[in-house]
Amino acid sequence: MRDDPSKELIELLDRLGLATVEDVRRARRNALQLARELPLFDSVWVDALVQARVLTPFQAERINAGRGTELQVGPYVLSGVQRRLGYASWFDARHIETHHQVLVAIAEPGQLPADDAARRLRAVVELGARVTSDAFVPAIDAGVAASRAWMACTSTSGTWADAWMVRRGRFTPQAVLEIARQMARALAELESIGGVHGDICLACLILDPQGRVRLPLPGLRGAVRPHEGYSHAELPPDAYGYLAPERVIEGSPVSRASDLYACGCTWWHLLTGRPPLPGGNALARLKSVQKAKVLDVRQLAPETPGVLVAAVQSCLQRDPECRPTSFAELASILAPPSRSGRTALAGVLAKPKQVRTGLSNLVREARRSRHAPVWSAAALGACLMLAGVTWSYWRTSLLDPVNRWLAASAADEGAEQSDGARTEVTAVASETPTEDEPVESAGVVAAPQSSTEAVLATSEAPITADRSLLTLEGHVDARTIQLQPGQTVRSRPGSRARLKVTGAGLVVAVEDVVFEQIDFVYDAASNVSANAAALIDVRARSVEFRNCTFQAVGPSVSAVSAVVWSSQTDTGSLDQLPEAGVVRMVDSVLYHVAAGVLCQANGPRTLELDNTLHLGHGPLVRLDRFPGLEEPLSVTLSSCTLRAGDALLEIDCRAGENDPGRLSIDAVDCVFAPRDRGLLLNFLGERPSMEELRAIQWTGQGSLLAPATSFAGWRDDRGSSTPLDSASIRVDGLVLSQLDFAEAKSAQPAASQVVRWTAPIRSDKPPGIDPAQLSAPAAIGDGPAGTTTAR
């Protein structure tokens, strides 16, 4: 029959036990309604099966992305994502043959060879078979297949503690006391048979409607991540919040002592509603863990029972020898669980969050009255008077504990703040542009001078001014600018400054500089022999670009990158380890450049690109080597469009590392359409090893990939390209789709908006860039690279 689903799709659905031929036939009417005038592609059939509730949206996304075989993990087929913990993702699943519902955790072997990981996983399953406490949900099956370590346990009902707190806030002290008692008793039993849990935290704590505690998959994290610390800082910050300090300092494995410390952190978090240790990124959180300075829980939760305070304080001792000698000792401190305690915890979980005061009831009754306007005015006046009278007391009684906690955290981090006045410096170009300017100027009106604003003309002498704001106008030579820490450099409102760059580029060697509404232009004619020329040479840990454009003009544009991120200085001390470096681009456009960001930095790095359009020759991101063990790289892409170049990410593998670090790519609502026969991931020189491929993790949702694009490949020194099997790379949220843009390739952002796509996405909003937030310099034209056309 015409437009039947492909044989490959039918075989896949049958092999995974997802749908029979009869199920597919019954979905024909839905498929015809979805397709309308379009052909019945396989993706249409998949969407029709979702509409018929034969497939889940998660399964449809994987199949449409060409990764349907990854739905099978051992004898199980995945149906949806339950949660992601950084080191592992937990999925709802069922047995292909018995249809028994399970929870499957999938993690890469990571730090261990595959055979070692398999041995450790088997030991966890054997441990689970000996556990009798109903507080645990032990592993029933495990294995390693296709570079993925997985473990399964029976599915259980209940509420995840962290999800409950996001919606409802902190738990009552009585509820936390019952949770602590149940956890201590269960962990004492686990300890008696020689086991440790290894990942006690809110994200691994389930509370069922009867007020009972559930701890799923004890032993999983210790099996797949036996070591933690600064050399393994690739996980999200929350994944390190409950580590014991000795695990960070000494790299010691999980133990009874580390589980005790994690219990103290968990109960502290439940009582106060916030993490016990600060830190906005992984390195900052690890530094907090190393210091192990947790505020007394009574400062934020003064109503905590004394017995629970004693238990928390004893567990949070920095020295492992000062913590309880066993969980049996801790359980004796807390006393046994009770039926009344379970009833109280169940009541907290079931009680809706609804606070009604006498004043709110008064207003509600007033609305029903025919004198509603009078009542409303009276109620409003009463509210204002009550707020004025109680404001001082409210600040003292409620905010002071919070302020003390924040002050303690700030003191630990050594934060320094300045209350200096904000002043402004304006750099204005000469009215007659020089002959070698690559773009035309419409003329400049000199800015007025005042006591707080200095007008600086473009000259060969550098601009030196200690100011927090530098305003540019017209054509400005980058050599005249001397940046200050924390400075914002932006165009005068209503105009866009053009910053001309030559030589080695504009060097950013100070921290936290922000560029706003700047058109960076590199004259490549004067740097024909430059090997690593760039518009911006970043030698700092943090820099941000907002609503900026980057372009290179001249015969040597193929050698010019928009941003080169140079090496950072290594302090050589864990106590002085720098924060992870961050380069951000927001609402920016890249034209005629060899690469968007060329990373040459050491140490942990993060690239954040939001609503960014790449129309350059080369990749959006280029790495001079694969990240090492102590320098994980995280690339975060949101609403970005790649419509040129030969790759999204290019990695030079000739300077290989024995121990590759984590390379994480998170892409949300992006569009990837590189030039013909392009790649998403391109490896240069040496073929990447299996360890390097396993270190790559692709996450996200709603991103589309042009059909003619291969996911990964490598090119040898002779220029010969070879596709790579991407089965070893974890990929989520990427779907193959036909793409139509608003216009043929043009420098104007509006031409690169997607107007038609065939793959299902989560909303009607086009993926990729929002051109309304992007700007194009007036001199950028639609001609070939190296030319400019004034509009």
Side-chain angles (χ1 to χ4, degrees):
M1 185 179 294
R2 188 177 64 87
D3 289 335
D4 281 342
S6 67
K7 180 181 178 182
E8 291 77 12
L9 178 60
I10 295 294
E11 290 177 349
L12 175 67
L13 297 174
D14 180 67
R15 184 170 67 255
L16 299 180
L18 295 174
T20 63
V21 175
E22 187 61 30
D23 291 330
V24 177
R25 289 173 180 170
R26 284 196 295 265
R28 174 171 288 275
R29 174 179 291 184
N30 292 340
L32 292 172
Q33 291 176 348
L34 290 172
R36 297 181 182 272
E37 73 280 0
L38 295 175
L40 290 180
F41 298 115
D42 277 357
S43 60
V44 177
W45 282 102
V46 171
D47 294 341
L49 290 170
V50 173
Q51 195 176 71
R53 298 187 178 182
V54 175
L55 299 179
T56 67
F58 169 79
Q59 292 167 341
E61 179 186 4
R62 288 296 180 93
I63 294 172
N64 285 332
R67 310 182 76 88
T69 56
E70 295 181 2
L71 291 173
Q72 182 174 356
V73 178
Y76 307 99
V77 58
L78 307 181
S79 58
V81 180
Q82 181 71 244
R83 55 189 28 233
R84 299 186 187 277
L85 302 181
Y87 71 93
S89 297
W90 295 25
F91 299 86
D92 292 318
R94 63 174 175 80
H95 197 282
I96 295 178
E97 296 181 357
T98 66
H99 299 285
H100 180 67
Q101 296 295 321
V102 297
L103 187 67
V104 173
I106 300 178
E108 296 181 16
Q111 306 166 7
L112 299 172
D115 54 348
D116 197 2
R119 178 183 57 80
R120 288 176 175 265
L121 292 175
R122 287 194 299 270
V124 173
V125 174
E126 293 171 358
L127 176 68
R130 297 158 52 197
V131 171
T132 59
S133 173
D134 59 359
F136 293 110
V137 188
I140 59 175
D141 198 1
V144 177
S147 78
R148 297 188 298 177
W150 59 270
M151 185 177 291
C153 66
T154 56
S155 183
T156 183
S157 62
T159 301
W160 296 94
D162 58 343
W164 190 93
M165 293 187 69
V166 168
R167 299 190 304 267
R168 303 283 301 278
R170 60 181 180 174
F171 282 79
T172 64
Q174 292 73 23
V176 179
L177 180 59
E178 178 61 24
I179 292 171
R181 286 170 171 172
Q182 293 188 38
M183 290 177 61
R185 185 181 68 168
L187 291 167
E189 178 187 325
L190 185 66
E191 181 184 41
S192 67
I193 61 175
V196 293
H197 190 283
D199 194 23
I200 297 172
C201 60
L202 293 189
C204 293
L205 176 61
I206 301 176
L207 306 172
D208 74 6
Q210 288 73 41
R212 293 175 297 188
V213 167
R214 294 286 185 269
L215 297 171
L217 293 177
L220 171 62
R221 181 165 180 171
V224 297
R225 287 181 66 87
H227 306 291
E228 300 287 358
Y230 290 99
S231 298
H232 310 284
E234 77 280 4
L235 301 182
D238 290 345
Y240 302 105
Y242 299 82
L243 291 181
E246 64 270 15
R247 297 209 65 200
V248 175
I249 299 172
E250 303 170 6
S252 58
V254 294
S255 64
R256 167 193 50 79
S258 64
D259 274 358
L260 284 165
Y261 188 88
C263 282
C265 291
T266 300
W267 303 336
W268 195 99
H269 197 162
L270 291 169
L271 287 165
T272 64
R274 66 201 65 201
L277 295 169
N281 57 44
L283 274 181
R285 187 64 62 89
L286 286 170
K287 289 167 68 177
S288 296
V289 170
Q290 181 180 351
K291 295 175 182 178
K293 295 181 179 179
V294 182
L295 197 66
D296 190 326
V297 70
R298 289 170 293 188
Q299 296 192 38
L300 294 175
E303 69 281 11
T304 303
V307 63
L308 187 54
V309 171
V312 171
Q313 288 181 337
S314 63
C315 289
L316 291 179
Q317 293 297 313
R318 178 182 175 86
D319 186 353
E321 299 298 326
C322 296
R323 299 170 200 156
T325 57
S326 66
F327 275 103
E329 177 186 339
L330 180 62
S332 65
I333 295 175
L334 291 167
S338 64
R339 178 178 299 179
S340 60
R342 288 195 300 271
T343 302
L345 176 57
V348 170
L349 296 172
K351 186 177 180 180
K353 186 178 183 181
Q354 189 173 12
V355 180
R356 293 187 177 181
T357 62
L359 182 59
S360 64
N361 289 329
L362 177 64
V363 174
R364 191 176 298 106
E365 292 299 325
R367 288 175 177 171
R368 300 191 183 103
S369 172
R370 61 188 180 89
H371 302 293
V374 177
W375 277 101
S376 299
L380 178 61
C383 289
L384 293 176
M385 292 178 61
L386 183 62
V389 171
T390 60
W391 169 250
S392 177
Y393 171 77
W394 182 83
R395 285 195 54 167
T396 302
S397 60
L398 297 183
L399 289 185
D400 278 1
V402 177
N403 291 334
R404 287 197 300 270
W405 180 81
L406 293 175
S409 300
D412 290 343
E413 293 297 319
E416 296 181 358
Q417 298 182 355
S418 174
D419 297 327
R422 181 183 179 93
T423 57
E424 183 173 328
V425 179
T426 303
V428 181
S430 58
E431 295 190 15
T432 305
T434 59
E435 293 183 357
D436 61 348
E437 288 289 343
V439 292
E440 297 181 2
S441 173
V444 179
V445 179
Q449 298 189 26
S450 65
S451 59
T452 60
E453 185 177 276
V455 179
L456 303 175
T458 300
S459 65
E460 294 300 325
I463 297 174
T464 56
D466 187 11
R467 299 292 188 265
S468 60
L469 179 63
L470 176 62
T471 302
L472 308 181
E473 187 172 2
H475 293 192
V476 180
D477 193 326
R479 293 171 295 182
T480 64
I481 294 179
Q482 183 172 331
L483 301 171
Q484 305 296 328
Q487 191 173 55
T488 297
V489 182
R490 69 185 181 196
S491 298
R492 178 171 291 281
S495 67
R496 292 188 66 88
R498 299 182 181 94
L499 196 60
K500 178 185 174 183
V501 181
T502 57
L506 175 61
V507 176
V508 181
V510 294
E511 299 298 336
D512 302 322
V513 176
V514 179
F515 295 92
E516 294 181 356
Q517 297 180 324
I518 304 294
D519 294 332
F520 296 96
V521 180
Y522 191 99
D523 183 6
S526 60
N527 294 275
V528 176
S529 61
N531 293 323
L535 287 95
I536 310 294
D537 183 0
V538 178
R539 303 178 185 176
R541 294 192 304 273
S542 176
V543 65
E544 185 170 351
F545 303 92
R546 291 186 170 274
N547 197 227
C548 294
T549 66
F550 305 83
Q551 61 167 320
V553 297
S556 301
V557 294
S558 60
V560 180
S561 298
V563 175
V564 169
W565 199 355
S566 304
S567 297
Q568 303 176 33
T569 302
D570 188 2
T571 62
S573 170
L574 293 181
D575 288 328
Q576 300 177 358
L577 239 159
E579 300 286 336
V582 179
V583 169
R584 296 185 181 90
M585 282 189 187
V586 181
D587 299 335
S588 297
V589 185
L590 306 163
Y591 297 95
H592 304 160
V593 291
V597 180
L598 170 58
C599 287
Q600 299 176 333
N602 295 319
R605 297 157 289 172
T606 298
L607 297 176
E608 298 179 359
L609 287 81
D610 185 6
N611 196 38
T612 295
L613 172 63
H614 180 50
L615 297 173
H617 302 288
L620 178 59
V621 179
R622 177 177 287 160
L623 306 181
D624 65 339
R625 64 181 181 278
F626 199 94
L629 192 60
E630 298 185 4
E631 48 183 19
L633 172 65
S634 175
V635 181
T636 301
L637 307 169
S638 177
S639 299
C640 296
T641 295
L642 173 69
R643 200 188 174 190
D646 50 12
L648 169 70
L649 179 63
E650 187 175 88
I651 307 171
D652 193 335
C653 295
R654 285 168 288 200
E657 293 281 348
N658 292 329
D659 298 314
R662 177 75 63 175
L663 175 54
S664 303
I665 306 167
D666 185 75
V668 177
D669 297 335
C670 295
V671 171
F672 305 113
R675 65 190 182 196
D676 292 342
R677 295 182 298 278
L679 300 165
L680 275 193
L681 306 181
N682 188 23
F683 300 88
L684 303 180
E686 301 292 335
R687 186 185 185 98
S689 64
M690 289 300 297
E691 289 74 16
E692 290 172 332
L693 294 179
R694 291 170 181 168
I696 300 173
Q697 180 177 355
W698 183 294
T699 59
Q701 54 185 334
S703 294
L704 305 183
L705 177 65
T709 305
S710 298
F711 183 81
W714 72 286
R715 188 171 69 245
D716 58 24
D717 293 333
R718 297 173 297 178
S720 177
S721 297
T722 304
L724 287 174
D725 183 6
S726 58
S728 300
I729 302 175
R730 296 176 57 188
V731 181
D732 290 328
L734 185 64
V735 181
L736 290 171
S737 175
Q738 295 289 340
L739 298 169
D740 289 339
F741 292 95
E743 299 179 26
K745 196 168 293 185
S746 165
Q748 296 302 315
S752 293
Q753 183 176 24
V754 174
V755 295
R756 183 177 178 274
W757 60 96
T758 57
I761 58 175
R762 54 183 179 165
S763 73
D764 294 334
K765 179 183 176 183
I769 59 163
D770 178 6
Q773 306 299 322
L774 302 178
S775 300
I780 292 295
D782 299 338
T787 65
T788 59
T789 304
R791 292 186 181 277

